[in-house]
Amino acid sequence: MKELEKTKRISIASVLFILVILIALLAYKRPKHLYSENTKSTLEKITTENYFTNLTELKDTNVVLIDVRSQFDFEKGHLENAVNIYAPEILNDTNSKFFDELKKNNNSVILYGNTPNEVIAPYMLLYQLGYKNIKILTAEITYSKNKVISKDVEIEKSKYDINGFIQESIKKASIKAKPKPEVVKTPKKIIPIKKKKKLPVEGGC
Amino acid sequence: MVNRKLAKVLKFRYTILAAILVLLAAGLVLLPKYEKHEGINPEELLSNVISPERYITSDELAHKIINQDPSFLLIDVRDEENFKKYSLPNAINIPLKNLLKEDFEGYINQSQFDVVFLSNDNLYADQAWVLCNRLGYKNLHVLKGGINNWFNTIINPAKPNENMASIDFQLYSNRKAASMFFGVAYPEQVKKKPVVVKKVTPRKVVPIKKKKKLPVEGGC
């Protein structure tokens, strides 16, 4: 009898154990989005590969143009054939299905916003999720008289020579300043003369 | 009879349990690989990325530098060549390529200082920020507009028009003062100096009065 009780205990414990594992497996939800790149490989690729395009390359067919600005900006004016996916909604179910489809069909996707700076963060996120068919449009979108104007811009260009500017400003300022220091020197020369007067007075003592 | 049948089944109880556990273990292999899934999850990263909280304006940064605020660390993610040409005072050069190398982790992954990334524009700095934010590093910021905007606002601020608001004039005078701090000289700045020097000359008259005291002492 004692042995039977022991086996009962063991079997009850094991059944409970298996139940816990089964429940855990059933409760496990596969996350909707998984990274396919870790940070180091992403960094390596974004510093070596070219993922920028300009306006002339837009004419290719097989390209899907995506506007990451808000719907408000999109309605005000957008590039031809663009699809509006607002950046904060980029991971929605419908949008990620859309991206998956584009990836399957081998379409190349071009993202654009008011400036390339606006696009870089959504791009980085999508890249790390494994959408590698994406490029960034290096253009600035502005409006003039209700029309959209798009202009190519260079990325991360060093526009100004700051050291040169500072040196020049010092030069310019010092040229004008030169005559004045000479005026300053003259009153100093008066002082030693006065000191000589002190000496004879002390000699009187 | 029942007991005998039960005993027969119970003979194999350990093998049955073992088989079930092996099956479950095999199930684990099917789970997605987590090694690549480092850092915070994508949804969280997206909400961080969208928020403009990370940006620090050039005026704020200039204010911090001038007041010698010790609580922040400037990190220039451009290449060495650009860094040598010009960078902000006390900036540390970590080219974007080397950002995640172990040598530099100590600069970025700490809670003591606020880290400010900067580049020519804020594009490279943003990239650095996104990667570090995914890894869960704290206190990261990006200089809005980068060095180019720094030049336009702090080093070479645009003069406001006469019809602009007084705030703009105040801002301009603040920025001009800041630019002087960073080494820019203005012609009118030098013009003011001689005025100061002229005030010094009457001070030199003062020793004459002292001389009058001296002969009195000599009389003693």
Side-chain angles (χ1 to χ4, degrees):
Chain A
M1 280 303 282
K2 270 187 184 174
E3 257 190 33
L4 204 71
E5 265 180 26
K6 247 188 200 173
T7 50
K8 259 185 189 170
R9 267 188 217 155
I10 290 176
S11 52
I12 287 169
S14 58
V15 164
L16 280 177
F17 181 69
I18 290 167
L19 265 178
V20 165
I21 291 178
L22 277 177
I23 289 169
L25 269 181
L26 288 176
Y28 175 75
K29 230 164 77 188
R30 202 187 136 87
K32 275 181 192 167
H33 303 281
L34 283 173
Y35 295 116
S36 70
E37 291 284 325
N38 61 23
T39 44
K40 275 188 183 159
S41 64
T42 312
L43 183 65
E44 202 183 304
K45 277 162 194 163
I46 59 166
T47 46
T48 49
E49 284 174 11
N50 176 37
Y51 43 87
F52 296 107
T53 63
N54 51 26
L55 287 167
T56 53
E57 281 174 58
L58 277 185
K59 284 160 193 161
D60 281 348
T61 51
N62 204 26
V63 161
V64 177
L65 197 59
I66 290 178
D67 190 326
V68 299
R69 299 173 304 160
S70 65
Q71 203 188 347
F72 176 74
D73 281 335
F74 184 75
E75 310 247 304
K76 252 165 69 184
H78 56 87
L79 299 184
E80 253 182 273
N81 303 325
V83 182
N84 183 215
I85 297 180
Y86 188 29
E89 290 156 10
I90 223 159
L91 292 182
N92 281 3
D93 290 346
T94 47
N95 291 335
S96 43
K97 264 181 204 164
F98 180 65
F99 278 116
D100 279 334
E101 222 170 86
L102 293 176
K103 193 182 170 188
K104 257 187 206 166
N105 298 341
N106 248 340
N107 282 330
S108 59
V109 177
I110 296 178
L111 299 181
Y112 80 89
N114 282 330
T115 58
N117 286 340
E118 224 172 89
V119 192
I120 189 68
Y123 168 81
M124 289 285 291
L125 185 69
L126 288 171
Y127 188 90
Q128 292 177 71
L129 290 173
Y131 302 105
K132 290 173 188 172
N133 51 343
I134 298 177
K135 285 186 171 180
I136 296 174
L137 185 70
T138 56
E140 261 179 14
I141 308 292
T142 46
Y143 303 102
S144 163
K145 291 171 189 169
N146 289 328
K147 272 187 182 172
V148 178
I149 296 171
S150 50
K151 196 177 72 183
D152 272 327
V153 283
E154 254 186 272
I155 277 195
E156 284 287 329
K157 186 184 159 199
S158 167
K159 286 182 193 163
Y160 313 102
D161 176 16
I162 297 183
N163 261 342
F165 177 83
I166 292 176
Q167 293 306 324
E168 205 166 295
S169 78
I170 292 171
K171 256 187 212 169
K172 267 186 198 168
S174 59
I175 288 167
K176 287 177 186 173
K178 264 179 187 171
K180 273 144 201 168
E182 286 166 18
V183 183
V184 179
K185 279 169 193 169
T186 43
K188 279 176 191 167
K189 283 167 192 166
I190 303 166
I191 301 164
I193 303 165
K194 284 165 191 169
K195 276 176 188 169
K196 281 166 200 165
K197 283 173 187 169
K198 285 172 197 170
L199 284 171
V201 177
E202 285 172 333
C205 277
Chain B
M1 281 296 283
V2 181
N3 270 349
R4 264 187 207 173
K5 269 187 183 175
L6 195 72
K8 260 187 190 176
V9 176
L10 288 179
K11 250 188 199 174
F12 299 104
R13 60 186 188 274
Y14 292 118
T15 42
I16 292 169
L17 284 178
I20 291 171
L21 285 175
V22 166
L23 271 176
L24 288 174
L28 284 176
V29 178
L30 297 176
L31 288 177
K33 280 181 185 172
Y34 262 93
E35 54 191 73
K36 279 180 180 170
H37 201 75
E38 57 172 343
I40 59 176
N41 60 35
E43 286 83 1
E44 203 179 326
L45 182 62
L46 178 68
S47 68
N48 288 346
V49 152
I50 295 307
S51 136
E53 237 173 59
R54 65 173 175 279
Y55 292 120
I56 175 171
T57 63
S58 47
D59 290 304
E60 283 166 1
L61 185 65
H63 186 73
K64 277 188 175 186
I65 295 175
I66 292 170
N67 289 328
Q68 303 195 340
D69 188 337
S71 69
F72 71 98
L73 208 62
L74 285 171
I75 290 183
D76 193 330
V77 298
R78 300 173 301 164
D79 51 9
E80 220 171 295
E81 191 190 332
N82 275 312
F83 177 74
K84 272 181 189 162
K85 269 186 202 161
Y86 179 81
S87 192
L88 301 190
N90 297 329
I92 298 161
N93 185 217
I94 304 180
L96 192 57
K97 274 184 272 174
N98 307 334
L99 184 75
L100 296 176
K101 284 194 177 155
E102 279 174 23
D103 315 354
F104 300 118
E105 207 196 326
Y107 289 114
I108 307 163
N109 187 15
Q110 34 80 12
S111 52
Q112 208 176 348
F113 298 102
D114 282 340
V115 172
V116 180
F117 288 118
L118 60 102
S119 57
N120 278 334
D121 204 339
N122 54 25
L123 196 110
Y124 290 158
D126 263 342
Q127 288 185 322
W129 187 89
V130 172
L131 290 175
C132 290
N133 189 271
R134 179 180 160 185
L135 293 172
Y137 297 170
K138 295 274 153 61
N139 302 332
L140 303 174
H141 302 274
V142 170
L143 176 61
K144 180 88 184 159
I147 298 273
N148 286 341
N149 192 44
W150 174 264
F151 176 81
N152 282 333
T153 54
I154 304 297
I155 302 296
N156 187 20
K159 251 187 188 173
N161 288 332
E162 277 175 18
N163 15 344
M164 279 162 98
S166 66
I167 299 169
D168 293 314
F169 282 91
Q170 216 172 349
L171 186 67
Y172 174 70
S173 66
N174 278 345
R175 285 175 171 177
K176 205 170 138 187
S179 73
M180 286 179 198
F181 178 86
F182 292 107
V184 181
Y186 289 86
E188 67 261 33
Q189 176 195 2
V190 183
K191 269 178 205 166
K192 278 173 198 164
K193 266 184 188 169
V195 180
V196 179
V197 174
K198 275 169 198 166
K199 281 174 192 167
V200 177
T201 42
R203 276 180 207 158
K204 280 162 195 165
V205 184
V206 180
I208 302 167
K209 286 166 193 167
K210 277 176 188 168
K211 281 160 209 162
K212 282 171 188 169
K213 284 171 194 169
L214 281 172
V216 178
E217 287 172 331
C220 280

